[in-house]
Amino acid sequence: MTTTDSRADRIARFPFPFPRDQYRYSTNVEPAGHSTDTVAGSWGDTRIAIDAHYHRERAERERILAEDPSRHQCLPHMVPAAWDAMLTLMRTLADEYPDTMTLARRGVGWYWKNDLLGIEHTFVFGDLDTLPAQPLVYICGQIQEDVVLLDQREGELWGDAGLVTFAADWSFGFDVGMSFLEIHGPVPRIHSENIITRAHNFLMRLEPGQSYRRTNWTLTVDGKLDTSTETYPEWGKDRRTLADGPLDEVGDRLFLRTEVQHLIRLAHSGAVMFLIRTYLLPFRDVASVPEWGERLYRVLEDLPVDMAEYKGISRTREPGMRWLLTHGNVEL
């Protein structure tokens, strides 16, 4: 677990998402639980990532939930899956961080201890009276990942529960209750190229306990974690001010945003759990790794217009490329 937040640490653990100079949508899944090396360091040795931002991001989640409780949704039939997700996350935390996290059976109940937060609690699985909050609210208050739970029925997956406070230009409150295919309906190219169907079929075949991961990316202005549809009035103008502002500011204001998404089939309920962890790195730090700066420029240069529009980077892509050309040692 990283306890410092130096620039070198942030760069070393950043999950740079581009293996080549061109980006197109793909399922890009791989088995989880192993470290991936980059030219700057490595990432991915744990399924739940706790780092120096732990307390700050938890506080930000608590603030967002207090202002907008709709970020947590759990349809009635998903209550067992929410308990399943909580216990699975506790087991994972205790396994990956044994020095600070403990989960043990205590008679008919469970004993949970989180030394990072001074939590020591005994609960009975399925008995809400033994928890201080709903299961997803309770456990998501102790991790940095967003959580979405997919129910599997009628030959489809349905996004019927979750807690999402750090969405990138989408709304979980709007999507809850939709099928997996409906949720991804607006994404360009993935239907005509059959990508979403392959992803859906892959998830349907996940066995209990199996876990995989994938990455996704976009660009974010001023390092905001919460760029959900609900808060667009607060951050939407940032794209314009960056595009119209001084080029010298782009390196510090424009961030490469990578999501590491873990996909886990829950053993008790059979639901599929998405863990979505967001990492942000300013262009100045990206460009400090020469291979990253040049590759990011190539990806942005090549990205089709429809994909740039869907990702919401039509305004910020061009100033980002100009800054990389000027400061990123990009060779044309």
Side-chain angles (χ1 to χ4, degrees):
M1 181 177 65
T2 302
T3 56
T4 59
D5 187 30
S6 70
R7 182 184 186 221
D9 290 332
R10 290 195 302 272
I11 295 170
R13 70 169 186 271
F14 186 74
F16 188 74
F18 306 121
R20 56 190 66 88
D21 289 348
Q22 182 185 77
Y23 174 82
R24 296 293 185 273
Y25 289 120
S26 67
T27 51
N28 74 311
V29 294
E30 62 179 10
H34 65 87
S35 180
T36 294
D37 293 332
T38 70
V39 295
S42 64
W43 62 274
D45 56 327
T46 58
R47 291 168 179 82
I48 300 174
I50 295 177
D51 59 23
H53 300 288
Y54 182 68
H55 294 286
R56 179 180 65 82
E57 292 185 7
R58 279 188 53 264
E60 177 70 354
R61 168 161 290 155
E62 185 176 353
R63 180 193 67 79
I64 292 168
L65 271 177
E67 293 181 0
D68 184 5
S70 73
R71 304 299 185 91
H72 167 244
Q73 299 278 345
C74 186
L75 300 186
H77 68 279
M78 293 297 285
V79 170
W83 281 94
D84 194 6
M86 184 188 77
L87 196 63
T88 299
L89 291 169
M90 287 177 172
R91 284 195 178 106
T92 304
L93 285 164
D95 180 56
E96 294 180 340
Y97 302 96
D99 292 341
T100 55
M101 309 284 181
T102 303
L103 180 68
R105 288 304 300 256
R106 287 278 178 91
V108 297
W110 292 88
Y111 169 76
W112 169 246
K113 187 179 181 184
N114 178 341
D115 287 335
L116 295 178
L117 300 177
I119 291 174
E120 192 169 359
H121 191 77
T122 300
F123 64 92
V124 176
F125 185 87
D127 185 353
L128 189 56
D129 290 338
T130 63
L131 275 186
Q134 297 285 334
L136 289 181
V137 175
Y138 182 66
I139 193 59
C140 288
Q142 301 178 55
I143 60 176
Q144 291 160 268
E145 285 80 2
D146 285 325
V147 174
V148 175
L149 301 181
L150 303 178
D151 186 33
Q152 184 167 328
R153 64 182 187 275
E154 302 169 2
E156 288 195 71
L157 295 166
W158 303 81
D160 287 347
L163 192 151
V164 180
T165 54
F166 304 142
D169 210 358
W170 64 286
S171 167
F172 177 65
F174 178 80
D175 288 348
V176 70
M178 290 186 180
S179 73
F180 181 81
L181 297 177
E182 288 172 334
I183 291 170
H184 293 87
V187 184
R189 298 171 183 255
I190 63 172
H191 297 277
S192 61
E193 298 174 13
N194 209 32
I195 294 169
I196 195 62
T197 302
R198 292 199 303 271
H200 182 266
N201 292 341
F202 174 83
L203 290 171
M204 294 275 286
R205 292 193 300 268
L206 277 178
E207 295 291 332
Q210 282 189 323
S211 61
Y212 287 80
R213 71 184 181 204
R214 66 183 300 273
T215 59
N216 195 15
W217 70 277
T218 187
L219 305 181
T220 295
V221 181
D222 294 335
K224 290 183 173 66
L225 279 168
D226 179 20
T227 56
S228 60
T229 307
E230 289 89 342
T231 57
Y232 179 80
E234 300 172 19
W235 57 265
K237 63 182 180 299
D238 297 340
R239 298 167 176 171
R240 175 180 51 79
T241 61
L242 178 126
D244 296 342
L247 183 64
D248 287 348
E249 294 182 359
V250 171
D252 297 310
R253 292 195 62 199
L254 189 58
F255 286 67
L256 175 59
R257 175 184 181 127
T258 301
E259 291 179 356
V260 177
Q261 303 174 354
H262 280 84
L263 327 170
I264 301 169
R265 173 76 75 177
L266 299 177
H268 179 70
S269 63
V272 175
M273 178 168 63
F274 268 66
L275 296 180
I276 308 168
R277 176 63 196 278
T278 299
Y279 297 84
L280 294 162
L281 197 67
F283 268 42
R284 190 175 303 281
D285 288 352
V286 174
S288 71
V289 183
E291 295 92 335
W292 287 2
E294 181 150 2
R295 175 148 291 173
L296 177 56
Y297 177 87
R298 304 294 179 201
V299 167
L300 293 175
E301 180 185 43
D302 177 77
L303 196 69
V305 171
D306 58 345
M307 292 177 66
E309 289 178 348
Y310 176 75
K311 285 184 173 291
I313 65 172
S314 296
R315 278 182 178 267
T316 55
R317 172 167 66 163
E318 192 273 336
M321 290 171 57
R322 282 193 289 121
W323 188 90
L324 288 169
L325 270 179
T326 307
H327 302 283
N329 299 313
V330 176
E331 297 182 7
L332 295 178

